Amino acid sequence: MRVNKDDVVLIRTGADRGERARVVAVDREKGTVVVEGVNVVHKHVRRSRRNPQGGRLTKEMPMAMGNVQVVCPSCSKPTRVGARFEENGAKFRVCKKCGAKISQISPARKK
Ligand SMILES: [Zn+2]
């Protein structure tokens, strides 16, 4: 899976299934992503100096990368992501459905 920060993804599983939201963090070693407003847990906190009201804090928890699918910015369909080289050596992530470039992975060779 090639999910990057700031990609919009479709959630495939869990309580937030079907939602589209932005990726805020990627952990490639653990294979997890944190998605804005998805997989939120509520932590109940007592009153304290930092938190004089107490109450509930909400926090997005990491989820397995395999449970999200990148949404193509061009055709806005959930898609798999491929990689493509241009003739000048630049490498791009591309949508497998419409072929549009999603983002650049590496720059063109220098002449
Ligand atoms: Zn597309």
Side-chain angles (χ1 to χ4, degrees):
M1 286 292 282
R2 298 180 179 88
V3 180
N4 284 4
K5 195 179 170 216
D6 289 330
D7 283 350
V8 172
V9 293
L10 175 70
I11 312 306
R12 304 313 308 257
T13 56
D16 298 304
R17 185 185 313 127
E19 302 256 347
R20 292 177 181 212
R22 195 174 59 89
V23 174
V24 291
V26 178
D27 186 331
R28 299 207 179 275
E29 271 179 23
K30 294 201 186 102
T32 58
V33 290
V34 178
V35 184
E36 202 169 57
V38 172
N39 206 18
V40 168
V41 294
H42 300 282
K43 188 182 174 194
H44 298 261
V45 290
R46 285 174 166 275
R47 287 167 209 274
S48 67
R49 205 163 295 202
R50 257 186 78 193
N51 223 313
Q53 287 295 322
R56 297 196 315 178
L57 289 181
T58 59
K59 189 176 192 308
E60 291 132 349
M61 296 302 284
M63 56 192 296
M65 222 178 260
N67 292 342
V68 303
Q69 204 171 13
V70 174
V71 174
C72 170
S74 299
C75 63
S76 77
K77 287 180 195 144
T79 184
R80 288 179 300 126
V81 178
R84 193 170 68 207
F85 286 95
E86 300 278 275
E87 303 219 334
N88 64 8
K91 190 180 180 188
F92 293 91
R93 295 192 305 150
V94 295
C95 169
K96 288 267 197 187
K97 288 206 171 128
C98 71
K101 291 169 188 168
I102 298 173
S103 69
Q104 190 160 6
I105 300 170
S106 57
R109 275 189 304 268
K110 293 195 184 92
K111 282 183 185 168

